Amino acid sequence: MKVLVIGTGAREHALCRSLSQDPAVSELHCAPGNAGIARVAALHPVDQLDGAAVTALARELGADLVVVGPEAPLVAGVAEPLRAAGIPVFGPGKEAAQLEGSKAFAKDVMAAAGVPTARSYVCTTPEEAAAALDAFGAPYVVKDDGLAAGKGVVVTEDRAAALEHAAACERVVIEEYLDGPEVSLFAITDGTTVLPLVPAQDFKRALDGDRGPNTGGMGAYSPLPWAPEGLVAEVLESVLQPTVDELHHRGTPFSGLLYAGLALTSRGTRVIEFNARFGDPETQVVLARLRTPLAGVLLAAADGTLGELEPLRWSEEAAVTVVMASEGYPASPRTGDPIEGLDAAEADGASVLHAGTRSGPAGEVLTAGGRVLSVTAVGADLAEARAKAYAGVAEISFKGAQHRTDIAAAAAAGQQLP
Ligand code: AMP
């Protein structure tokens, strides 16, 4: 099978690494990719938002499957021309991708499907926003309606700050605050059949102790020893299947990866958000535990034959990933610095997945984005996986590098609900 992966981040590197280990994959390509992906796939400098260019590349390569990693090309409608050309594509069409592209759309689908989520108002004026904030009280949750790379959400006790964020966005969703630990649960679907993956937890805030601004994600781990038994079955029944069924019913079936961001609140499980693609950095730990070869699963979702697949097989091992970010991330990341110690980290047993990197003129690896690397390791339990991931981080250096030191710490120490 010839596979083309679209995207540039550590999620795409994790996808490419798993695909490169699948004996069914004869050729692996990525557009545009990064310096790490270049080690396992042939790179092509194509604009990932340009559906015609991506389709032309897939045709030229004779791709049997195109896997679209990030949300932006999905929301821009890159899947449509590929499907029209008869090329199997893993990822939803533009309409179904609105589940991520518009928080207001997602709320509407959830209401129609009876999926439990935070009560909310969609607001377009400062007066509406103020009324919504006062209806729920503090802590205030204000979300940009459109795509914002995980950074469009403000959760604050400060009413003025909440109003300021609302004013900076064209359209906002203001919703009730959900307490309780968060879980990311991914499911692969062909629009009818839904196959949940193993749950993971990510760390959205920039600093230790969940302080600092929201980011794209600073680390993740799986499994969740503290999660209630039966969680996956419950979420499949109350969230994932009804959502997929609702989109099918609307005539815009969702195929690809449905990501449910959940809060386990005192009043039950609630959806915080949906994403229309693999989450980053949770993908790095979820795929590290998947034993079933990946390409056939993604192709079955693209082909509509997921119902015929054997149950997925998983490793009992634990996986932890720690994101190394550049100085100034998330506000104003510094780029262009050489990265040292990549091989040493891998020799120590960590798997270094590249996010924002590029190759320099002399073949050196340079920082090229906010999140630079995702250092991943597996171990017999979370404590071992964590120790190996942090040993890998300790080997790597670049100017101004920053990372959280508490990824998976509470869960590895056996705490019930981090
Ligand atoms: P989102 O982009 O919707 O996932 O939001 C980013 C982060 O903001 C989430 O992972 C939560 O930590 C937080 N958040 C979002 N919505 C809520 C909510 N209703 N209550 C509490 N925290 C929230």
Side-chain angles (χ1 to χ4, degrees):
M1 199 192 298
K2 295 183 188 174
V3 184
L4 169 62
V5 175
I6 304 300
T8 59
R11 162 189 45 221
E12 287 74 26
H13 194 178
L15 286 163
C16 283
R17 180 165 289 201
S18 291
L19 289 166
S20 72
Q21 289 163 354
D22 183 339
V25 176
S26 56
E27 268 184 43
L28 187 58
H29 300 269
C30 185
N34 62 37
I37 297 174
R39 296 186 179 189
V40 291
L43 301 192
H44 304 272
V46 162
D47 175 1
Q48 52 180 329
L49 298 180
D50 183 342
V54 170
T55 305
L57 174 65
R59 269 219 181 97
E60 183 190 316
L61 298 172
D64 301 298
L65 174 67
V66 177
V67 180
V68 184
E71 59 275 23
L74 293 167
V75 171
V78 160
E80 274 79 3
L82 286 161
R83 288 209 174 90
I87 301 166
V89 45
F90 182 83
K94 190 177 181 164
E95 296 287 329
Q98 283 301 305
L99 214 46
E100 173 162 7
S102 163
K103 297 204 186 268
F105 176 83
K107 287 287 183 190
D108 183 61
V109 169
M110 284 189 267
V115 168
T117 184
R119 289 179 297 128
S120 64
Y121 294 102
V122 180
C123 307
T124 50
T125 66
E127 294 72 28
E128 284 173 6
L133 292 176
D134 295 337
F136 294 127
Y140 303 106
V141 182
V142 183
K143 302 184 171 189
D144 192 341
D145 180 47
L147 285 185
K151 287 166 260 174
V153 177
V154 165
V155 180
T156 177
E157 297 278 344
D158 179 348
R159 189 173 179 279
L163 273 175
E164 195 183 321
H165 184 58
C169 310
E170 215 167 287
R171 199 156 97 120
V172 290
V173 172
I174 291 179
E175 64 180 35
E176 71 179 319
Y177 178 79
L178 300 173
D179 60 354
E182 291 179 30
V183 171
S184 300
L185 184 62
F186 301 169
I188 291 181
T189 176
D190 58 7
T192 308
T193 300
V194 182
L195 272 190
L197 308 187
V198 290
Q201 190 178 48
D202 78 340
F203 294 75
K204 286 249 163 64
R205 300 285 185 143
L207 305 175
D208 281 2
D210 291 330
R211 291 174 301 109
N214 262 325
T215 69
M218 296 299 290
Y221 67 95
S222 175
L224 313 180
W226 49 267
E229 198 149 323
L231 177 69
V232 173
E234 178 212 322
V235 175
L236 174 62
E237 194 192 337
S238 66
V239 173
L240 299 167
Q241 191 71 56
T243 301
V244 167
D245 291 348
E246 172 64 22
L247 286 166
H248 200 261
H249 172 72
R250 291 183 181 207
T252 52
F254 185 103
S255 77
L257 194 291
L258 178 59
Y259 165 140
L262 306 161
L264 309 191
T265 78
S266 46
R267 288 176 295 131
T269 304
R270 300 278 185 277
V271 173
I272 294 182
E273 62 160 350
F274 282 128
N275 291 323
R277 37 76 196 178
F278 279 99
D280 188 341
E282 300 95 313
T283 300
Q284 288 84 303
V285 291
V286 170
L287 291 185
R289 299 186 57 217
L290 180 65
R291 287 285 162 270
T292 306
L294 184 62
V297 181
L298 302 184
L299 184 62
D303 271 355
T305 56
L306 216 48
E308 297 163 24
L309 220 61
E310 299 280 307
L312 298 177
R313 288 178 288 111
W314 296 97
S315 156
E316 290 300 312
E317 286 183 313
V320 172
T321 194
V322 179
V323 170
M324 297 185 75
S326 55
E327 186 178 320
Y329 178 74
S332 52
R334 166 193 165 99
T335 60
D337 295 307
I339 307 172
E340 309 289 342
L342 293 168
D343 292 336
E346 296 232 313
D348 272 2
S351 152
V352 182
L353 299 165
H354 291 223
T357 68
R358 66 182 172 84
S359 301
E364 73 276 35
V365 178
L366 303 173
T367 64
R371 291 189 296 171
V372 176
L373 301 167
S374 193
V375 183
T376 310
V378 292
D381 56 18
L382 285 174
E384 188 182 310
R386 191 170 182 274
K388 281 166 74 179
Y390 276 108
V393 168
E395 295 284 357
I396 299 171
S397 59
F398 53 88
K399 193 165 186 311
Q402 50 161 328
H403 66 270
R404 277 182 63 157
T405 66
D406 61 350
I407 303 301
Q415 288 179 16
Q416 250 341 74
L417 296 179

